[in-house]
Structure formats: structure tokens, C-alpha cells
Amino acid sequence: MKLRPRFKAHELQAFVGKAFGQLGLPSGDANLVARCLVEADLRGQAGHGIQRLPMYAGRIRAGVVKPRSSCSVHGDDGMGFVVATRAMDEAIQIARDQGVGLAGVRRSTHFGCSSHYVMQALEADMLSFVFTNSSPALPPFGGARALLGASPFAAGVPGTQPVVLDMSTTVIARGKLRLMSQRGEEIPEGVGLDKEGRPTRDGMEAFHGVTLPFGGAKGAAISLLMDLLSGLFTGAAFGGRVRSLYNDTDGAQDVGHFLLCMRPDLFLPSTEAFKERMDEMAAILKSQPCAEGVEEVLLPGEPETRSERQLRVEGVPLQEDVVASLREEGSKLGLEFPAPL
């Protein structure tokens, strides 16, 4: 396999931040979005990484994403990264005062990895749930047409080794299907259907067709719950009416987010007491005997944390077609893309 070129994370972040600045985002917002995108690559979530810069830029140019957004629950069609960060700030503050804080967001846009906002809550020593809806990707159980989003279920629990859960409700995240297709790789069987409802191993056909839920009826039910809480409950679009991120610039997406924070000392004497119990739980989990072929029991989020630590040193690997698209986007904005290591 041909080795992919690697780039310094801080140089990629600087490039992306400048790009969004050129597109009209305030400096702080531009740098926030850049950090979220590069962190996705660092944590092994390239489907949510900087390869999406040209797509976000296109949506800003088309006028369906506003470079400047308010910090209210009404996202004003701003960059989802900015809207969700500010909404999580509000949820954290309410939780500090009341023990539990809930923020519901409407008129937002795609916000990248849900883990960004889970980790934001962890930095404030908060437990959290982060839900969002998204454009149609999978059918309700028994259905033949994409209706529900591949909406991630995300949660965080603070500790010395925190739990960071961020999982798509599809067998494989849609962004990964797209990347596998770009690499010329076949997707596994049982992952997706084409537009005609036929099983396919072509990642792009599944991406534009139907991605199947994990666990059959169970995954479809969780995806429905994400739409009910993030869309219907918050006043955002729901029931298949969130517009596509990739090929619909006729109007705003109207994505909804549901962010819930909880203070760890609600039922215990202190946050420290909670963390001690969490550390004990982590130790119990990691002391369990490993199944055949498994070297170590890992907590949710631990592989991504290790990936980030490694890639900050070794550089972020990018596919050549992604590098080409970023160079092209940079030239439109009068920016030079970083050189590989």
C-alpha cells in the first residue's frame, strides 16, 4: 500500500483556521472549527477531518451556512461547531448552578464529531450526553428508503481515564464509506444498499443509497430516538427533512442538537469521590481477562486518545486526493497548503 503523506497538526490547523477566516468567520470561530477538524484526524476519525474543508467552504459560498452565528439556542444557520460549542457552554453553566443542564438547538448545521462536545464537558468535570440528528441515511426498521440520520450516540464520564463514547448508529459511519471508496477499497458485506435497495460493496453507492443500522431494529430505534430528541423536541427539522450536507445547497440544513450535562456530585459527597469510583471501575474493566487475539481491554475513547498522542508526533496522514482538494481550496483563498513532513 502506498504511504500517505504526513503533515504537522499545528500547520494543518493554522491553514484551516486561515481558510475559514478568509471565508468570513470571526477569528475565534475560525480557529475553533479548525481545531475540531484537525482533532478528528488526530483521533483517527478522518471522515470528520479536514477533508471536509472544501465542502464546508462550498456551503458558506452558497449562502446556506452563515459565517457569523448567534450564541442562542437558535443557531442562525451558523457553523455547527460554533453553535454546539456555545450551547455546551450554556449547558455546563446551568449544570454548575442547578446540577443538571440541558441545551436544545435548532437551525444549526453539521457539527463534526460529537466527541468534541463530550470532551468540552469533560474539561469542566461534567458527565454528558450529546445527540444530533442528520440528513437521511438509514431506513426505519422494516423500511426500504433512507429516512433517519446516521446520528451518533455520544456520552462522556470524567475520570483519570475518562470514557468518551461517540458511535454512529450505522454499521460503519458514512464518512468512512466515502473514504473507503476514495481509496478504492470495498466495504464489508451487510453495510449498505445502493439507491435501488440492492446490497452493495461500493462505498460511494452505499453513501448515496442506504447505510444499514447496527443491531438491526435496535440501531434503527436509537437513530429514531436521536431524531426525536434532537429534531422534533428542539424545534429543528425532523422526519427526513434535514437537508444533505453534501449535495443540497438549496436551503439551510436546520440540524438539531440535544446536549445534556450532569454534575458528578449530584448523588455523591464530591466530584473527587465520583472520580475515585470511576477510577476503580476503570481498573476493574482493564483487569479482565482478554479474549483470544485481544491484547488489552480498552475503555471507549482510549484508542482515539492514543491515536491523537501518536499522530501529534508522527504527523497526520492524508490521502493524496484530499491533499489535492485542500491545495485547490487554498489557492481559491490565496493560501499555501503546508508541505508534508
Side-chain angles (χ1 to χ4, degrees), residues 95-96 99 125 127 262-272 274:
R96 282 183 176 139
D125 279 340
L127 293 88
M262 296 159 283
R263 218 172 54 211
D265 62 352
L266 277 178
F267 308 113
L268 293 170
S270 66
T271 296
E272 289 68 29
F274 176 91

Side-chain angles (χ1 to χ4, degrees), residues 212-225:
L212 296 176
F214 74 85
K218 296 176 182 178
I222 292 175
S223 183
L224 173 60
L225 179 64

Side-chain angles (χ1 to χ4, degrees), residues 235-258:
F238 66 97
R241 284 173 280 192
V242 174
R243 292 180 180 270
S244 171
L245 177 68
Y246 291 93
N247 51 29
D248 186 346
T249 55
D250 291 335
Q253 280 193 288
D254 195 10
V255 176
H257 313 313
F258 175 99

Side-chain angles (χ1 to χ4, degrees), residues 141-196:
F141 186 68
R145 181 173 65 88
L147 176 71
L148 303 171
S151 306
F153 184 102
V157 182
T160 302
Q161 173 59 59
V163 165
V164 180
L165 175 65
D166 181 3
M167 62 180 193
S168 169
T169 47
T170 54
V171 179
I172 294 180
R174 293 183 76 208
K176 291 183 179 178
L177 298 179
R178 193 164 176 264
L179 281 175
M180 290 179 72
S181 176
Q182 290 172 339
R183 294 172 187 159
E185 301 172 5
E186 287 190 326
I187 63 175
E189 293 181 358
V191 167
L193 311 175
D194 64 17
K195 290 181 179 179
E196 306 303 320

